[in-house]
Amino acid sequence: MIPPRISFNAEKLLLLALSFFAIIMTSSDGPCLAVGQGNNNNATIIGVNIGVVLDLETRGAQMGLSCINMSLSDFYSSNPSYKTRLVLNVRDSKQDEVAAAAAALDLIKNKQVQAIIGPEGLVQADFIIDLGNKSHVPIISFSATNPSLRSIRSPYFVRAVQNESSQVNAISAVIQAFGWKEAVLIYVDNEFGESIILSLTYALREVSTQVPYRSIISPSATDDQIQEELYKLMTMQTRVFIVHMLPTLGSRLFAKAKEVGMMSEGYVWILTNGITDRLSSVVSSVVTSSMQGVLGIQTYIPNTPNLDNFMFRWKMKFQQDNPSILNPTLNIFGYRAYDATRALAMAIEEMGATNFTFQMLNASTNATDLDSIGVSQNGQKLLQELANMTFTGLTGNFKLVNGQLESSVFQIVNINGNAARGVGFWTQENGLLRDLNSFTASKYSTSKSNLRPIIWPGDTTYFPKGWEIPTNGKRLKILVPVKVGFSQFVKVTQDPSTNTFQVTGYCIDIFRAVIEKLPYAIAYDLIPFALPNGIKAGNYNDMIDQVFYQNYDAIVGDTTITANRSLYVDFTLPYTESGVAMLVPYKDSKSKNAWVFLKPLTWDLWLTTGCFFVFIALVVWILEHQINEDFRGPAAHQVGTSFWFSFSTIVFAQRERVFSNLARFVVIVWVFVVLILTQSYTASLSSLLVVQNLQPSVTKMDQLLKSGEKVGYLDGSFVYGMLKQMKFDDSRLISYQSPEECDALLSNGSTKGGITAALDEVPYIKLVLSKSCNKYTKIATFKTAGFGFVFRKGSSLVPDISQAILNVTEGPKMTEIENAWFPSETNCPDSTNSNSSNRLGLDSFWGLFLIVGVAAVLALLIYMVMFIKRNWHVITSSSGSFWEKTIALGRQFHQRDLNAHTFRKARFRDRSMEDGGNVTATIETLEDSNFQPSPSSDSSQIDNVLTNEQGSPSAEQGLSNHVDERCPKIAINVELTNVNC
């Protein structure tokens, strides 16, 4: 950064001279007035004693003291009219807690200071804070960040710096953004190192990140001891390290980490602000050679012109006062000291011309110095003024909340080159942000996309997965269950000669296939969960306990994923079909149901079919009534004939003929529908009669629970607990250990000492069915997650192995393994069918009914149009009401249609038969006349004239003499002519 150009005019020279005079005065142990004032104001200036307790031999204390002096100099130079002046009384604590307490006691008792600035370390601050509480003197610290120094417990303690624990959520947000599930904490073995470990562990646990190990390094550790600890970390799987210590020890740690190869690709190093806030004090050669790619959490300080100007002025003054110190550095604690001093000066001025005195306590002659100290009369008021103080300081807004500086923004930095490069920010409200001006009112985010590109150790831009199997690491100890039956899943064979075990099975083959899919090698040992004599050492829950107590690393076998077990261990994704099912025998229900013939069709299809039979009978009767003698006669005869015709189409045995083309069209469509219905019914009934022999004896758990019959379960399975939760008594529960034993129990039945049903997981049920599929069927009961591999809680292997399981199950390898261990079930009947699946419903045939309905209605409409057209004179007649006209139309419909082709053909045929073929009849019919008969004429007379009882014409009726009285001009002439053949 290029400093601003300074013009050395008279005003600036005067300011530098006054600052130099103030520094000379504070170099001694006696009191000093920070800034001298002109003679005109001396009479009104009130000096207020303030104590300063620092380790003056340390670089940080020297920096802090110079910033305190500069703060007072700048404050009173810009406010010359103020009536109060802080008088600094500086004491050296000599890096000793007792000396610090003695210095504070001297300042309170002899100097009657109104406040004390400075205690740096935790122990020093604890001593001095107790003195402040006793004397009501505020203790203001700009560097004591330990969270154990609570202002609630110490009301007169003011922390003008952020609490160490305020950064733990920023660290956990970074961990969560990259999905790391384990992190090792490395910290110094003192009060500073232990300050945030507990809160950091809790914060990591909130984002499901475990802390498998805590590496504690002594502040006086040698390089060999540091290297030995680093070698220990290299043997672990975790590659994410969070470092919390001061730069002096941190520099040595990273130099050794670089030397042993832990700053290479795959490693993650995250620094707390214990180092990043003091990064300028780390040797630059260590930063450039040993800390490349390190992430850090840094207290964010906005870059402002005032800050740049202050840094330039401070460096000039510090070098003048300390010429032996080359290239002095300034960090955030110097800024905090500057702002804290300004806040104290402003608070004193706000109090006004107060009598800054102490109330002395009455003490006995044998009292100690602690008993004889006084009590400040203005301590409480000064605390109140400090709490209300708000201004813009060097590092942003200065505001105390509950006695400590309000938490601000943290910056995520990445060390590249010789400096830290900002890659993002973290705020309490928005989480991770790329830029501070990019935040919105959206929810809290921990997405890594909100960070700029990061260069990781090893000069790579791809973020590490956070763990790996070390080449020199320990082998995984994996438990496998020892089973008596169902050895297809896991089989443990012991060699008596060598006393070794061989583990095979379906689950083992899948695990080995999964391990081959991993991008790295894993060394493991399969250890049977058995006693020395080869007998199993416990059930599956006992195996889970062994992993939970970290005696073993994992379990490989037919272990079911359950909610209760997942509280103690982590499961991979399942690799088998999920669920718990009942295995029940088939029952023979053939010929035991007299009404089975009704079951092929659902009730709605039966009802619809019956309605359409009636409908078609009505339609055919309407269309055939006037022209077909089969559909005429007494009412009972007509009804019976119509229904007989319609229902006889079921077997296509109808004997009546239909003459109307419309009726023929309707019957053709209806016969097609009946054909489909009968064929479907026949097929469904045949299927139903076969399936009825394969119906399960039990279909529901409630039925089994109420029956009081016995139930079987696999020995050692969690299913036993499920049955107990469903209120099954122990007397009704029988365990089995093999498919053969399960088959024998089911074959005997509950009445012969066996079981009515077996409740087990689907893979076991399928294995039993593969051997006895003609005897039993599977009934789905409960949902479970299936079989999975078990690992320790928070294990980093779980995500990678779960991904590998997906690769195996979706490929041909899974089918190959299944075919190798389980026989085919191609010859087994499909037990999933049920009565409901064989029944035919209306939803399958509504289209056919729609077609026949539309055809019938269309035919009726055409017939009605033609009928009305033929009898239009009835409708248009002037006489008669609407009701009378309707009755007349009904009478017309009831009569034969003599003009129909069927009747005319019958008359000619009958006359020819009477004349022996020698007589030719010539009839001049009504339709040949220009006149229509009267609607009221007696059609029966015409019928009698034209036909005899058999419907044939009769010559004896004297047709030539018959004339309608109301139509005298109409005559029917019949001429008989003998034809000689």
Side-chain angles (χ1 to χ4, degrees):
M1 182 181 297
I2 301 176
R5 188 173 181 178
I6 304 297
S7 176
F8 291 96
N9 50 29
E11 182 179 356
K12 292 189 177 293
L13 288 175
L14 177 61
L15 179 60
L16 290 175
L18 291 175
S19 300
F20 179 74
F21 174 74
I23 294 174
I24 294 297
M25 292 298 292
T26 57
S27 62
S28 62
D29 289 343
C32 63
L33 187 63
V35 179
Q37 298 294 328
N39 294 331
N40 295 335
N41 295 332
N42 286 340
T44 59
I45 291 177
I46 299 174
V48 180
N49 284 329
I50 300 297
V52 178
V53 179
L54 297 171
D55 299 328
L56 296 179
E57 297 300 322
T58 63
R59 185 74 61 87
Q62 295 171 0
M63 174 195 66
L65 182 59
S66 64
C67 289
I68 291 172
N69 285 313
M70 283 191 66
S71 177
L72 291 177
S73 175
D74 293 346
F75 181 74
Y76 291 123
S77 296
S78 59
N79 300 284
S81 61
Y82 282 2
K83 303 303 181 182
T84 58
R85 296 293 184 273
L86 300 188
V87 180
L88 300 181
N89 296 268
V90 183
R91 297 291 185 271
D92 185 4
S93 62
K94 301 177 182 179
Q95 303 185 42
D96 183 77
E97 291 78 14
V98 177
L105 182 61
D106 173 61
L107 290 172
I108 294 173
K109 181 177 180 182
N110 300 323
K111 297 298 182 180
Q112 296 188 351
V113 293
Q114 299 299 310
I116 295 178
I117 302 176
E120 299 177 75
L122 170 64
V123 181
Q124 289 187 23
D126 264 338
F127 274 101
I128 297 178
I129 287 172
D130 289 337
L131 292 176
N133 291 337
K134 186 176 183 63
S135 60
H136 293 186
V137 173
I139 308 300
I140 304 173
S141 176
F142 58 85
S143 59
T145 59
N146 196 299
S148 63
L149 299 173
R150 302 277 184 182
S151 59
I152 298 176
R153 180 177 60 85
S154 308
Y156 284 89
F157 172 63
V158 177
R159 193 202 310 268
V161 68
Q162 284 182 320
N163 190 330
E164 282 281 352
S165 61
S166 60
Q167 64 179 315
V168 298
N169 290 328
I171 297 174
S172 66
V174 174
I175 296 290
Q176 186 179 12
F178 293 98
W180 297 316
K181 296 303 180 182
E182 287 187 353
V184 172
L185 304 183
I186 306 176
Y187 57 96
V188 61
D189 188 15
N190 58 21
E191 68 276 3
F192 174 80
E194 297 172 351
S195 59
I196 67 168
I197 296 304
L198 186 60
S199 57
L200 180 57
T201 303
Y202 286 148
L204 293 176
R205 190 175 301 172
E206 289 293 324
V207 295
S208 301
T209 300
Q210 304 297 318
V211 180
Y213 181 72
R214 297 181 182 181
S215 177
I216 307 174
I217 300 178
S218 171
S220 58
T222 63
D223 288 349
D224 290 340
Q225 291 173 330
I226 295 176
Q227 181 173 307
E228 181 181 355
E229 184 66 21
L230 291 174
Y231 277 132
K232 184 188 299 183
L233 297 178
M234 290 180 67
T235 63
M236 300 179 181
Q237 294 183 4
T238 307
R239 290 293 181 261
V240 180
F241 305 106
I242 301 175
V243 181
H244 179 60
M245 54 184 61
L246 293 174
T248 305
L249 183 60
S251 300
R252 297 169 56 206
L253 174 71
F254 280 102
K256 282 298 176 184
K258 176 69 174 179
E259 183 178 328
V260 301
M262 295 181 68
M263 296 303 298
S264 59
E265 184 177 350
Y267 286 87
V268 179
W269 294 87
I270 301 177
L271 303 177
T272 66
N273 61 6
I275 293 180
T276 52
D277 283 350
R278 303 175 177 88
L279 192 60
S280 59
S281 61
V282 180
V283 179
S284 59
S285 61
V286 175
V287 175
T288 55
S289 64
S290 305
M291 298 181 67
Q292 297 301 295
V294 174
L295 284 181
I297 307 298
Q298 188 177 70
T299 306
Y300 175 64
I301 301 175
N303 192 9
T304 61
N306 291 336
L307 184 62
D308 295 338
N309 183 34
F310 171 78
M311 290 176 63
F312 177 76
R313 292 190 296 111
W314 175 86
K315 191 169 185 178
M316 289 182 55
K317 183 178 295 186
F318 192 86
Q319 285 183 329
Q320 291 174 1
D321 297 341
N322 303 276
S324 60
I325 300 177
L326 301 178
N327 192 23
T329 58
L330 180 64
N331 59 38
I332 189 172
F333 297 105
Y335 307 144
R336 299 300 192 202
Y338 185 95
D339 291 343
T341 305
R342 180 183 177 186
L344 179 60
M346 293 174 64
I348 292 291
E349 182 65 27
E350 288 293 330
M351 292 174 62
T354 304
N355 185 13
F356 296 99
T357 59
F358 274 60
Q359 178 183 358
M360 304 308 296
L361 301 177
N362 296 327
S364 62
T365 55
N366 296 327
T368 63
D369 288 342
L370 291 176
D371 295 327
S372 60
I373 62 174
V375 176
S376 174
Q377 300 299 296
N378 301 291
Q380 185 62 39
K381 186 176 181 181
L382 179 57
L383 282 177
Q384 185 63 37
E385 292 294 341
L386 286 172
N388 297 332
M389 195 60 59
T390 302
F391 61 90
T392 302
L394 290 177
T395 58
N397 293 331
F398 183 93
K399 182 180 181 181
L400 298 176
V401 178
N402 295 326
Q404 64 182 11
L405 192 66
E406 184 180 28
S407 297
S408 61
V409 178
F410 287 99
Q411 187 173 20
I412 316 299
V413 297
N414 183 210
I415 297 179
N416 303 126
N418 59 356
R421 174 179 59 92
V423 295
F425 299 89
W426 178 88
T427 65
Q428 189 75 32
E429 298 79 14
N430 297 94
L432 296 179
L433 298 171
R434 183 179 291 263
D435 298 295
L436 284 180
N437 56 4
S438 65
F439 74 90
T440 62
S442 61
K443 61 182 181 180
Y444 187 90
S445 173
T446 57
S447 173
K448 63 177 178 290
S449 62
N450 292 340
L451 300 176
R452 292 187 175 87
I454 298 173
I455 300 177
W456 303 93
D459 197 25
T460 177
T461 57
Y462 183 77
F463 74 92
K465 63 181 178 181
W467 71 278
E468 65 181 45
I469 301 296
T471 56
N472 57 348
K474 66 176 183 178
R475 298 172 65 88
L476 294 179
K477 296 189 299 181
I478 300 178
L479 277 179
V480 293
V482 176
K483 303 175 67 66
V484 176
F486 294 96
S487 57
Q488 290 86 347
F489 293 97
V490 178
K491 183 177 182 180
V492 178
T493 306
Q494 185 176 10
D495 187 351
S497 60
T498 61
N499 198 27
T500 58
F501 294 93
Q502 182 181 6
V503 184
T504 58
Y506 170 75
C507 301
I508 305 302
D509 285 356
I510 289 182
F511 179 73
R512 287 170 176 160
V514 167
I515 294 300
E516 292 177 359
K517 290 290 185 178
L518 294 177
Y520 45 83
I522 293 181
Y524 62 89
D525 295 318
L526 297 178
I527 304 171
F529 188 53
L531 300 174
N533 58 2
I535 301 176
K536 66 178 182 179
N539 57 26
Y540 288 84
N541 289 334
D542 296 329
M543 296 173 63
I544 296 289
D545 292 340
Q546 292 295 318
V547 176
F548 174 71
Y549 293 122
Q550 301 188 5
N551 296 327
Y552 295 89
D553 299 300
I555 299 174
V556 171
D558 48 349
T559 310
T560 304
I561 303 170
T562 65
N564 182 60
R565 291 172 177 175
S566 64
L567 298 175
Y568 307 99
V569 294
D570 279 348
F571 285 93
T572 63
L573 289 177
Y575 58 88
T576 63
E577 184 179 353
S578 63
V580 173
M582 281 195 304
L583 185 66
V584 297
Y586 286 121
K587 66 177 180 179
D588 185 6
S589 58
K590 183 178 179 181
S591 73
K592 294 180 181 180
N593 187 353
W595 302 99
V596 68
F597 66 90
L598 294 176
K599 292 186 177 180
L601 306 183
T602 58
W603 68 268
D604 54 346
L605 183 56
W606 278 117
L607 180 62
T608 304
T609 304
C611 292
F612 263 83
F613 273 114
V614 175
F615 175 64
I616 294 301
L618 177 63
V619 171
V620 172
W621 177 80
I622 294 175
L623 298 177
E624 293 291 312
H625 177 66
Q626 284 190 296
I627 64 175
N628 193 337
E629 285 295 334
D630 289 338
F631 293 91
R632 298 189 61 81
H637 172 74
Q638 295 184 49
V639 172
T641 302
S642 299
F643 281 123
W644 161 258
F645 177 85
S646 177
F647 281 92
S648 63
T649 56
I650 298 178
V651 292
F652 309 104
Q654 65 276 13
R655 65 178 180 83
E656 292 79 10
R657 298 175 60 191
V658 290
F659 300 132
S660 169
N661 288 331
L662 292 177
R664 290 170 179 173
F665 169 70
V666 172
V667 171
I668 289 174
V669 176
W670 173 241
V671 168
F672 174 73
V673 173
V674 171
L675 175 65
I676 295 177
L677 283 174
T678 53
Q679 295 296 326
S680 300
Y681 174 84
T682 303
S684 179
L685 182 60
S686 300
S687 175
L688 184 63
L689 292 175
V690 173
V691 172
Q692 284 235 314
N693 291 325
L694 301 177
Q695 293 307 302
S697 57
V698 179
T699 58
K700 295 182 180 179
M701 282 300 300
D702 293 341
Q703 179 184 353
L704 186 63
L705 184 62
K706 295 175 181 178
S707 67
E709 297 178 339
K710 294 182 179 181
V711 180
Y713 66 94
L714 180 62
D715 186 30
S717 173
F718 76 99
V719 175
Y720 173 77
M722 296 177 59
L723 292 171
K724 293 294 293 180
Q725 290 180 357
M726 290 185 287
K727 307 303 181 183
F728 278 93
D729 190 76
D730 282 329
S731 61
R732 298 179 55 192
L733 302 179
I734 299 178
S735 64
Y736 56 86
Q737 296 184 339
S738 66
E740 295 74 17
E741 187 177 356
C742 178
D743 181 25
L745 290 172
L746 285 170
S747 298
N748 292 333
S750 190
T751 58
K752 298 180 181 180
I755 57 177
T756 300
L759 198 70
D760 215 333
E761 295 167 85
V762 170
Y764 300 128
I765 296 293
K766 293 179 69 176
L767 182 59
V768 178
L769 280 176
S770 65
K771 299 181 177 182
S772 306
C773 56
N774 292 318
K775 299 166 60 178
Y776 311 113
T777 184
K778 179 182 68 174
I779 305 296
T781 305
F782 301 105
K783 286 290 186 180
T784 60
F787 293 164
F789 301 129
V790 180
F791 288 86
R792 291 179 183 177
K793 199 72 174 175
S795 174
S796 303
L797 283 170
V798 172
D800 287 352
I801 290 186
S802 295
Q803 180 63 43
I805 287 175
L806 293 178
N807 294 333
V808 171
T809 55
E810 293 175 359
K813 187 66 175 178
M814 191 69 178
T815 304
E816 179 183 338
I817 296 174
E818 288 179 349
N819 293 336
W821 288 102
F822 302 117
S824 176
E825 302 177 22
T826 55
N827 296 326
C828 296
D830 185 6
S831 61
T832 60
N833 290 336
S834 62
N835 287 350
S836 60
S837 63
N838 289 323
R839 302 189 70 184
L840 302 175
L842 181 61
D843 53 348
S844 302
F845 297 96
W846 68 268
L848 290 175
F849 287 114
L850 178 63
I851 293 173
V852 71
V854 170
V857 171
L858 182 62
L860 287 176
L861 291 176
I862 295 174
Y863 175 79
M864 291 177 62
V865 170
M866 296 173 62
F867 178 76
I868 292 175
K869 183 178 180 182
R870 288 197 306 269
N871 299 277
W872 186 249
H873 61 281
V874 177
I875 298 175
T876 56
S877 63
S878 58
S879 62
S881 63
F882 174 79
W883 179 247
E884 292 176 345
K885 294 179 180 181
T886 303
I887 294 175
L889 284 175
R891 289 174 178 173
Q892 287 293 105
F893 173 76
H894 180 68
Q895 301 300 323
R896 292 181 177 86
D897 185 3
L898 297 180
N899 294 326
H901 172 69
T902 55
F903 287 126
R904 286 187 297 170
K905 180 179 180 181
R907 288 198 304 270
F908 284 122
R909 183 177 65 249
D910 293 343
R911 174 59 64 89
S912 297
M913 291 175 63
E914 290 180 359
D915 294 344
N918 298 321
V919 180
T920 300
T922 303
I923 304 175
E924 186 177 357
T925 59
L926 292 177
E927 63 180 350
D928 297 330
S929 174
N930 294 327
F931 302 95
Q932 295 294 334
S934 173
S936 59
S937 63
D938 189 357
S939 60
S940 60
Q941 294 179 0
I942 300 178
D943 290 341
N944 293 330
V945 171
L946 293 179
T947 63
N948 55 17
E949 292 181 356
Q950 285 75 27
S952 58
S954 178
E956 287 80 8
Q957 299 296 328
L959 294 176
S960 58
N961 300 324
H962 181 78
V963 178
D964 194 319
E965 296 178 356
R966 288 169 294 179
C967 301
K969 295 181 180 182
I970 299 177
I972 299 176
N973 298 320
V974 179
E975 179 181 356
L976 299 178
T977 305
N978 293 327
V979 179
N980 296 321
C981 297

